[in-house]
Amino acid sequence: MAAVLFMEHLDGTILVTAAPRIAADLGVGSAEVGLAMTVYLVTVATFIPVGGWLAGRFGARRVFCTSIVVFTLASVLCAASGSLPALVAGRALQGLGGALMVPVGQLVVLRATDRRDLLRAIAWITWPALLAPVLAPLLGGLLTSWASWHWIFLVNVPVGAAALLAALWLVRDVETERRPLDAPGLLGATVTVFGLVAGLQLVVDPRWAPAGAGLLCAAALSGAAAVRWLLRSAHPLLDLRVYRIAGYRAANSGGLVYRAVVSSVPFLLPLLFQDGFGRSPVESGLLVTAVFLGNVGVKPATTPLLRRFGFRAVLLGSVAGGAACIAAFLLLTPATPLWLVTALLLLSGALRSIGFTAYNSLQFADVEPGRLSSANTLSATGAQLATGLGIAVGALVLQLATTTAPAGPEAGDLFPYRVAFAAMAALLLVPLLSVLRLPPGTAAHVAGRLPRAAASRRAG
């Protein structure tokens, strides 16, 4: 499951560094190649809500294996593309496969995991979302430089084949749910998610800003109507009542803001290092890899930290520490010692890894088995929206700050990035306040921690 999620997240952003080479090969502009990345992200987000229903209707094992096949075959079509329309079509099909892999794969893991092992399982399937956006620019650049852009997609073939064999061998199916399809709920959720993701992608481009704003307005209206319907439906596609669970609500309200901010950092850092500091793409990619090392290095400690200090304390530390790291990026200059920049990136990566694992574990801690499907689908959709929102907000702030940058070469080069990082650090106050409202013993049964009174009774 972790390998499949890594593959899906990687393909969401790996085209960034390969765009110029693909554009030259297909005879189009680099900006036009961005459409292939946008189509992928929009398709993934749009079709996530139906994944849970398909898994219940046809079986999680069958849908999960089918999604791997679709994603792998679509990767071959992308590699064989001889024109931009063919590449965009292949990416749309790839996004469809990825949209089903995300919620269905996570649902398989959640249903097969005992609450006592939830932390360990979530830690394993969390790292793809952390590592893929950080490694994608470097990996895309290396594959494009050493081989050709086609290998960005062809590397998915052996991974997809191995994942399919593993899924057929390891994944056990569960009893299907003969639940009718909530067509109005599906339509409302699809229009809402499509409008939000597509609107966020377009609104940052001055040429498409009016269309993006229109899509966002349509998404708001459709979202209001969809919520009204889902709360009244006898068999809703998405059971919004899971938001009454305190841990789930905290992880999918303030937690979504945290995910958005964390997703914006791998987007802003390479731009800072290349455009602000004048470093090469390879140097920039190597520096950002320090975030990846921090993610991996702290991973064995995340579960022990949660068991020792509990969710509330760990989340407070990771969110506050993450805000401090992002604020520290404001002070970086081309003259900052390389060891200090690397140390700051390592610390930032470690804190985001701890925060992601804590949020992902907290949201399912108190969800009953019967609501896991809806809770998981809502969470996966929200996470995808948060990623798009984080990148879109970061790009928008960067663009607005560039137009108001002061005179002078160094000040003008660094000012937009300082404004963007200041905005991201300030946004982390939202999840920080949300965490402060959590009771100290939140999800203690998942963390393996006993309340003090219970511990005293057991000791007596």
Side-chain angles (χ1 to χ4, degrees), residues 55-56 58-65 104 107-108 111 171 173-174:
F58 299 103
R61 183 175 185 268
R62 183 181 302 174
V63 175
F64 185 52
C65 292
V104 178
L107 185 61
V108 168
R111 282 180 171 172
V171 176
D173 218 340
V174 294

Side-chain angles (χ1 to χ4, degrees), residues 4-5 41 50 54 89 95 153 224 297 321 342 436-437 440:
V4 168
L5 275 182
L41 294 174
V50 78
L54 286 173
F153 303 107
T342 304
L436 284 171
R437 298 176 60 183

Side-chain angles (χ1 to χ4, degrees), residues 1-43:
M1 179 59 208
V4 168
L5 275 182
F6 180 81
M7 183 171 63
E8 186 272 325
H9 282 286
L10 188 73
D11 273 62
T13 51
I14 198 170
L15 280 183
V16 174
T17 50
R21 190 71 59 88
I22 297 175
D25 197 11
L26 299 182
V28 297
S30 297
E32 294 178 77
V33 177
L35 178 63
M37 188 168 73
T38 301
V39 164
Y40 177 84
L41 294 174
V42 170
T43 308

Side-chain angles (χ1 to χ4, degrees), residues 32-109:
E32 294 178 77
V33 177
L35 178 63
M37 188 168 73
T38 301
V39 164
Y40 177 84
L41 294 174
V42 170
T43 308
V44 170
T46 301
F47 287 98
I48 280 179
V50 78
W53 179 83
L54 286 173
R57 180 66 178 80
F58 299 103
R61 183 175 185 268
R62 183 181 302 174
V63 175
F64 185 52
C65 292
T66 302
S67 69
I68 296 174
V69 172
V70 171
F71 188 91
T72 306
L73 292 179
S75 298
V76 175
L77 294 177
C78 290
S81 300
S83 64
L84 183 61
L87 177 61
V88 170
R91 291 286 282 172
L93 185 61
Q94 202 180 29
L96 175 61
L100 299 182
M101 284 195 300
V102 173
V104 178
Q106 289 182 351
L107 185 61
V108 168
V109 173

Side-chain angles (χ1 to χ4, degrees), residues 47 76 120 160 163 243 245 269 281 301 325 337 345 348 358 368 398 457:
F47 287 98
V76 175
R120 190 182 307 168
Y243 281 104
I245 303 171
L269 283 175
C325 284
L345 294 175
S348 172
E368 301 92 338
L398 202 60
R457 286 195 299 269

